Amino acid sequence: MESMGRWLGAASGIGEADWKRQQMKVLNDAVVAEWVAGHPELEREALTKNVTRLYQYAKEAKECARCPGLERCPNDMPGHYTKLVVTGAGAEASIADYKVPCSLQSTKSAQDSVRSRIQSFYVDEKALNREYSPAEIISRDMRRASAVEAVMKYVLRTKDEGLQPNGLYLMGDFGTGKTFLASYLLYELAKLGLTGVIVYTPDFVEDLKSMFGDPQKLKDTIDLLKETDLLVFDDIGAEHLNAWTRDHVLGTILNYRMNRKPTFYTSNHDLNGLQRHLSFTTREGEDEYRGQRIMDRIRPFVEVIEVAGRNQRGT
């Protein structure tokens, strides 16, 4: 069938006999006939009065049957199709139409709703924008199967018990999928209605310098990281720290969150290596006491998970 606009435009310029032939063509269409067969209460007059609705219904049903995908949906409202509803009976029967989201659109809307609960700062959002099954994740590299299993256990525990007080510390070499697993965890838990933030720590620390001149933006950023249900510091230990960032930003956020909300980390360091990193700042040099203070807000509140495997970057 041609488009609704072209069909109506053509119909408006033809005589009564040709118009009736157009009506008969619609009413005899197999899709329309099947629908009409399910509504014996409709009289002929109701059908002819609503022939344009029947035409649109049949046209979109056929387009959906050969669906080219959501991005190339040819229907008038992409991702939706026309549904017809009959009210009344006999001479009082009437047909109404409305748009209904297809299964692809419903899935996308659900994914968008989940994704809207997650904010990311300086992180590649590819892993945040689609669902993966645990089997698919493991299949990329069997050596990280134990890490995937541990993350899945955490997700299931949260689904069963609610928001956990402790988070995870994903530790491993470059490119083993630590950020990917953290993003996967955020996405799965966002389905429960939880909010999440993932921060690429090196860029975040650098960006904090520009916030010195904007105290309100700095406060809003810190408040966001304090209050979100789930917080991920990605690649912690790779940043160039100064004492202010360590003690007054990172320390403030972690001090607020401990015993309240879980914080997650990905790092190339083990916990002892991270403590050494946090004990050193570019200007003040080494300060083991202050490094220990930060670690006292990390170490007791995480389960360490080693993410093994090959470097996945570029594959």
Side-chain angles (χ1 to χ4, degrees), residues 143-261:
R143 285 173 290 180
R144 61 181 182 183
S146 61
V148 175
E149 182 181 2
V151 170
M152 285 305 304
K153 284 182 177 178
Y154 186 94
V155 169
L156 292 174
R157 189 163 63 246
T158 303
K159 289 180 178 179
D160 290 340
E161 302 172 2
L163 193 65
Q164 301 292 298
N166 294 352
L168 303 177
Y169 188 90
L170 303 179
M171 175 190 73
D173 291 335
F174 294 102
T176 53
K178 301 182 297 295
T179 302
F180 180 87
L181 285 174
S183 299
Y184 172 79
L185 180 145
L186 285 185
Y187 189 92
E188 288 297 308
L189 294 183
K191 293 178 182 178
L192 305 179
L194 299 175
T195 59
V197 175
I198 181 168
V199 175
Y200 181 61
T201 311
D203 285 354
F204 172 65
V205 168
E206 288 301 310
D207 200 38
L208 284 171
K209 298 174 184 177
S210 67
M211 297 185 196
F212 277 125
D214 192 343
Q216 188 59 50
K217 181 180 180 182
L218 177 62
K219 180 181 184 303
D220 290 345
T221 300
I222 293 175
D223 286 347
L224 172 65
L225 301 191
K226 287 166 62 177
E227 296 290 351
T228 187
D229 294 325
L230 311 160
L231 173 62
V232 178
F233 282 111
D234 183 42
D235 208 9
I236 191 169
E239 69 284 350
H240 295 291
L241 275 177
N242 58 52
W244 176 81
T245 299
R246 178 191 61 197
D247 301 332
H248 298 289
V249 178
L250 185 60
T252 297
I253 293 167
L254 296 182
N255 189 65
Y256 179 87
R257 293 184 64 84
M258 63 180 187
N259 291 319
R260 285 191 179 94
K261 297 180 179 182

Side-chain angles (χ1 to χ4, degrees), residues 6-279:
R6 288 180 60 191
W7 185 73
L8 289 175
S12 64
I14 63 177
E16 183 176 352
D18 288 334
W19 170 239
K20 287 186 179 295
R21 279 193 290 273
Q22 290 275 29
Q23 288 179 324
M24 289 302 298
K25 182 180 178 181
V26 173
L27 296 177
N28 289 330
D29 183 90
V31 174
V32 172
E34 182 180 4
W35 184 85
V36 171
H39 298 279
E41 72 276 21
L42 287 171
E43 295 184 354
R44 184 75 174 186
E45 183 179 359
L47 296 175
T48 55
K49 281 183 178 179
N50 290 278
V51 70
T52 55
R53 287 190 172 93
L54 294 169
Y55 170 89
Q56 186 71 8
Y57 167 78
K59 172 182 174 293
E60 294 189 349
K62 292 173 182 177
E63 296 289 7
C64 289
R66 53 176 179 265
C67 175
L70 198 56
E71 293 183 355
R72 299 193 302 276
C73 177
N75 290 351
D76 288 355
M77 182 183 292
H80 296 73
Y81 62 91
T82 296
K83 185 170 184 177
L84 302 178
V85 176
V86 177
T87 58
E92 301 299 322
S94 62
I95 302 174
D97 64 320
Y98 60 97
K99 298 295 185 182
V100 178
C102 68
S103 60
L104 294 179
Q105 180 63 44
S106 296
T107 298
K108 183 179 183 302
S109 296
Q111 290 173 340
D112 289 347
S113 177
V114 170
R115 181 63 185 84
S116 69
R117 301 186 192 110
I118 305 171
Q119 296 187 57
S120 64
F121 293 86
Y122 328 103
V123 174
D124 182 357
E125 299 190 4
K126 189 181 299 182
L128 292 169
N129 290 328
R130 62 157 290 192
E131 295 190 70
Y132 294 87
S133 69
E136 185 178 357
I137 298 172
I138 293 173
S139 68
R140 291 188 168 197
D141 191 335
M142 291 297 297
R143 285 173 290 180
R144 61 181 182 183
S146 61
V148 175
E149 182 181 2
V151 170
M152 285 305 304
K153 284 182 177 178
Y154 186 94
V155 169
L156 292 174
R157 189 163 63 246
T158 303
K159 289 180 178 179
D160 290 340
E161 302 172 2
L163 193 65
Q164 301 292 298
N166 294 352
L168 303 177
Y169 188 90
L170 303 179
M171 175 190 73
D173 291 335
F174 294 102
T176 53
K178 301 182 297 295
T179 302
F180 180 87
L181 285 174
S183 299
Y184 172 79
L185 180 145
L186 285 185
Y187 189 92
E188 288 297 308
L189 294 183
K191 293 178 182 178
L192 305 179
L194 299 175
T195 59
V197 175
I198 181 168
V199 175
Y200 181 61
T201 311
D203 285 354
F204 172 65
V205 168
E206 288 301 310
D207 200 38
L208 284 171
K209 298 174 184 177
S210 67
M211 297 185 196
F212 277 125
D214 192 343
Q216 188 59 50
K217 181 180 180 182
L218 177 62
K219 180 181 184 303
D220 290 345
T221 300
I222 293 175
D223 286 347
L224 172 65
L225 301 191
K226 287 166 62 177
E227 296 290 351
T228 187
D229 294 325
L230 311 160
L231 173 62
V232 178
F233 282 111
D234 183 42
D235 208 9
I236 191 169
E239 69 284 350
H240 295 291
L241 275 177
N242 58 52
W244 176 81
T245 299
R246 178 191 61 197
D247 301 332
H248 298 289
V249 178
L250 185 60
T252 297
I253 293 167
L254 296 182
N255 189 65
Y256 179 87
R257 293 184 64 84
M258 63 180 187
N259 291 319
R260 285 191 179 94
K261 297 180 179 182
T263 305
F264 306 85
Y265 309 84
T266 77
S267 183
N268 299 324
H269 297 287
D270 61 17
L271 290 177
N272 291 331
L274 182 63
Q275 181 169 331
R276 288 192 293 272
H277 170 78
L278 293 173
S279 298

